[in-house]
Amino acid sequence: MNPANLTDTSKLCVHTITTKPWNIEEAAKNFSAAGVKGITVWRDTLAGRNIRQTGQMLRDYDLSIVSLCRGGFFPSIDSNKWAAAIDDNRKAIGEAHELGTSMIVLVCGADPSQPLEESRKQIRDGIQAVLPEAAAAGVKLAIEPLHPMYADTRSAINTLAQANDMAENINSPFVGVAVDVYHLWWDPSLEKEIKRCGANGNLSAFHICDWKVPTTDFLNDRGLMGEGCIPVKEIRSWVEATGFTGFNEVEIFSTSYWKEDQHEFLGKIVKAYKECS
Amino acid sequence: MNPANLTDTSKLCVHTITTKPWNIEEAAKNFSAAGVKGITVWRDTLAGRNIRQTGQMLRDYDLSIVSLCRGGFFPSIDSNKWAAAIDDNRKAIGEAHELGTSMIVLVCGADPSQPLEESRKQIRDGIQAVLPEAAAAGVKLAIEPLHPMYADTRSAINTLAQANDMAENINSPFVGVAVDVYHLWWDPSLEKEIKRCGANGNLSAFHICDWKVPTTDFLNDRGLMGEGCIPVKEIRSWVEATGFTGFNEVEIFSTSYWKEDQHEFLGKIVKAYKECS
């Protein structure tokens, strides 16, 4: 198969963490100048700001606020921490509403001191607990399966099949799934599971980057599209074949790219987006 | 569930790589003195030795030679390398025969410059290509699924379901699967897939260690059983429930443990084996 190149940046979204050295005002100005049309806002960038005004600032730059990143981290063997996680997710829903975005990405969490099954149950219960607030705010919670190398502390949901199962089981218009090529590229069921969530309306977000060979850090060594071994174009073609018309969100954590001039890095992102995504 | 503790070392096998600083003669002597009853031999330890005599030396120490580690690494976009891999696997089968073991563990390989599906096809074709020699030598090839974090260069087979599919498809008494808790612990289908290979006679090897929290290196930061978040006892109970009576093989790659006195480390292995495996 030969998936088409992207010809413009009308569906290009960049996560604020991708250009971590910039604050949100710098990111907005520079993204907009580069033709980026969507932004996913990481919560740390909102610290000390009026969130409504920040949302307006982003819209004034003609940026769609694709999602707020991130809620989740529900599981804990400690019930006080579990309750605190629920509170924090309610807070995130309020922030998303003020910001003016209709989606929160959930990094679901895991607690290595309890069985994965218990963590999975707590994730499901946590989503159910905050679902009324999400619905009232018009905010969709997108369950993002994370790579199995994060099953110890970051997510007990590690395949798209698991995320699809959970979203279908909860069965709410305010719960969906987020597909990130970095976490899922290796999975022989990926095409099938993308079709599945596409068909039932649960495919809510699509994140892109690349898996560098070799990868030298568990968290912060992601690559630009085309720089690694993930068939990003092919996976995008599967996503688009479902009728998905949302943004392609560039989410790169990279100690080495964060050290570069971020204007140059953003130029590389736009180039890689058009040629390799 | 409350899986039983292990009461003795009659099913304890240690991989030579686990105590990498020892040569095979030291490993054999020290394993035997510690009550270890099985050894899995990594091929590098045979360099410069008469393999038949080395096998006899191991048996003289009352060690069962559980397997030779490792064959595989079939995939390559370069057909010359593919042919070289076939030759090397034939050589490994010859070594296993001389050593006197009836199993080779396959780390199947992957080539990041081609699609995973192509690598998977080359793995299957590679196994088929060497199967006549394996059968003639009475050596079983155990397909070991590796953690998805190794899908770039080490294995395009990343779940037990995939390994089971491939073994069932090839359908030979000389092809089985190896279950390693390090690679598979996160998989929600693990219990089901262990039952599956147990039921059809394909469950050929069981490897144990632990996933440290945090894990700081992609290869060489494995933990002793009990030191991390893998439910080793529970997974062993699933393996034993199938009727598996083979060895529990301790396979730990650890830069930090390799720096320790290996006698002390072996003592820790035996203790962890009885208490946490």
Side-chain angles (χ1 to χ4, degrees):
Chain A
M1 81 180 305
N2 262 316
N5 272 12
L6 291 161
T7 54
D8 63 42
T9 57
S10 61
K11 290 294 180 186
L12 171 56
C13 167
V14 179
H15 282 229
T16 56
I17 191 133
T18 299
T19 56
K20 189 178 175 184
W22 282 339
N23 63 32
I24 195 164
E25 292 80 12
E26 292 168 324
K29 180 181 170 189
N30 297 323
F31 287 3
S32 180
V36 175
K37 294 297 181 188
I39 187 167
T40 278
V41 176
W42 279 55
R43 291 176 72 194
D44 60 288
T45 65
L46 298 174
R49 284 158 175 86
N50 178 303
I51 296 178
R52 283 183 194 278
Q53 288 174 3
T54 303
Q56 191 54 51
M57 179 273 292
L58 297 174
R59 283 184 290 277
D60 289 344
Y61 276 114
D62 197 26
L63 291 165
S64 291
I65 309 174
V66 178
S67 65
L68 182 69
C69 207
R70 53 201 189 185
F73 285 106
F74 292 109
S76 177
I77 202 166
D78 175 343
S79 58
N80 290 323
K81 288 190 183 166
W82 151 259
I86 299 296
D87 285 347
D88 189 59
N89 277 274
R90 288 188 173 127
K91 189 171 167 223
I93 291 165
E95 291 171 9
H97 185 64
E98 288 182 46
L99 192 64
T101 181
S102 58
M103 183 160 56
I104 292 177
V105 177
L106 298 185
V107 173
C108 294
D111 184 337
S113 52
Q114 68 186 9
L116 280 168
E117 277 311 316
E118 184 62 23
S119 288
R120 288 168 188 150
K121 182 177 177 302
Q122 292 177 351
I123 291 165
R124 191 184 183 291
D125 291 349
I127 293 172
Q128 293 277 18
V130 302
L131 197 49
E133 286 84 353
V139 170
K140 181 172 281 204
L141 307 172
I143 302 168
E144 181 175 22
L146 257 54
H147 195 285
M149 70 186 180
Y150 301 124
D152 52 353
T153 57
R154 289 175 186 272
S155 183
I157 307 292
N158 306 104
T159 64
L160 186 52
Q162 284 178 283
N164 280 340
D165 285 348
M166 189 172 286
E168 290 175 15
N169 186 269
I170 295 174
N171 189 26
S172 159
F174 296 101
V175 172
V177 300
V179 169
D180 185 319
V181 300
Y182 191 76
H183 299 301
L184 305 176
W185 72 279
W186 58 272
D187 185 350
S189 305
L190 183 57
E191 184 177 6
K192 182 181 79 174
E193 294 294 333
I194 285 175
K195 277 185 190 166
R196 177 181 164 194
C197 56
N200 64 18
N202 282 340
L203 176 48
S204 306
F206 181 51
H207 298 181
I208 57 178
C209 68
D210 213 336
W211 180 281
K212 286 167 66 181
V213 183
T215 291
T216 58
D217 185 271
F218 278 88
L219 269 182
N220 298 322
D221 193 29
R222 296 191 183 196
L224 276 168
M225 297 75 72
E227 201 178 9
C229 60
I230 300 179
V232 181
K233 276 190 191 187
E234 185 178 26
I235 298 174
R236 178 173 61 81
S237 77
W238 299 340
V239 167
E240 290 178 352
T242 71
F244 180 85
T245 57
F247 280 86
N248 304 308
E249 306 181 40
V250 178
E251 185 187 30
I252 299 173
F253 315 147
S254 166
T255 305
S256 58
Y257 281 124
W258 290 332
K259 284 181 188 158
E260 288 192 7
D261 176 292
Q262 297 296 289
H263 292 279
E264 286 179 24
F265 177 39
L266 184 58
K268 290 179 186 176
I269 290 171
V270 172
K271 185 167 185 287
Y273 178 78
K274 289 184 180 172
E275 294 174 3
C276 305
S277 297
Chain B
M1 80 180 307
N2 260 317
N5 272 12
L6 290 161
T7 54
D8 62 43
T9 57
S10 60
K11 291 294 179 185
L12 170 57
C13 166
V14 179
H15 282 228
T16 56
I17 191 133
T18 298
T19 55
K20 189 178 176 185
W22 283 338
N23 64 32
I24 195 165
E25 292 79 14
E26 292 167 325
K29 179 181 170 190
N30 297 321
F31 288 3
S32 181
V36 175
K37 294 296 179 187
I39 186 167
T40 278
V41 176
W42 279 55
R43 291 177 72 195
D44 61 288
T45 65
L46 298 174
R49 284 160 176 82
N50 178 304
I51 296 178
R52 284 184 194 276
Q53 288 174 3
T54 303
Q56 191 55 51
M57 180 273 292
L58 297 175
R59 283 184 290 277
D60 289 344
Y61 275 115
D62 198 25
L63 290 166
S64 292
I65 309 174
V66 178
S67 64
L68 182 69
C69 207
R70 55 201 188 185
F73 285 106
F74 293 109
S76 177
I77 201 165
D78 175 342
S79 58
N80 290 324
K81 287 189 184 167
W82 151 261
I86 299 295
D87 284 348
D88 189 59
N89 276 274
R90 289 189 174 127
K91 188 171 168 225
I93 290 166
E95 291 170 10
H97 184 64
E98 288 181 45
L99 192 64
T101 181
S102 58
M103 183 161 56
I104 292 177
V105 177
L106 298 184
V107 172
C108 294
D111 184 337
S113 52
Q114 68 185 8
L116 281 168
E117 277 311 319
E118 184 62 23
S119 289
R120 288 168 188 149
K121 182 177 176 304
Q122 292 177 351
I123 291 165
R124 191 185 182 292
D125 290 349
I127 294 172
Q128 292 277 18
V130 303
L131 197 49
E133 286 84 354
V139 170
K140 181 172 281 203
L141 307 172
I143 301 167
E144 180 175 22
L146 256 55
H147 195 285
M149 70 187 179
Y150 301 123
D152 53 353
T153 57
R154 289 173 188 274
S155 183
I157 307 293
N158 306 104
T159 64
L160 187 51
Q162 284 178 282
N164 281 340
D165 285 347
M166 190 172 285
E168 289 175 15
N169 186 269
I170 296 174
N171 190 26
S172 159
F174 296 100
V175 172
V177 300
V179 170
D180 186 319
V181 300
Y182 190 76
H183 298 302
L184 305 175
W185 71 279
W186 58 272
D187 185 349
S189 304
L190 184 56
E191 184 177 7
K192 183 182 78 174
E193 295 293 332
I194 285 174
K195 276 186 189 165
R196 176 180 164 195
C197 56
N200 63 19
N202 282 340
L203 176 47
S204 306
F206 181 51
H207 297 182
I208 56 177
C209 68
D210 213 336
W211 181 280
K212 286 168 66 181
V213 183
T215 290
T216 58
D217 185 270
F218 278 88
L219 269 183
N220 297 323
D221 193 30
R222 296 190 182 195
L224 276 168
M225 298 74 72
E227 201 178 8
C229 60
I230 300 179
V232 181
K233 276 191 193 189
E234 186 178 26
I235 298 174
R236 177 174 61 83
S237 77
W238 299 340
V239 167
E240 290 178 352
T242 71
F244 180 84
T245 56
F247 280 86
N248 305 307
E249 305 181 40
V250 179
E251 184 186 30
I252 298 174
F253 315 147
S254 166
T255 305
S256 58
Y257 281 125
W258 290 332
K259 284 182 188 158
E260 289 192 5
D261 177 291
Q262 297 297 288
H263 293 278
E264 286 179 23
F265 177 40
L266 184 57
K268 290 179 186 176
I269 290 171
V270 171
K271 185 167 184 289
Y273 178 78
K274 289 184 180 172
E275 294 173 3
C276 305
S277 298

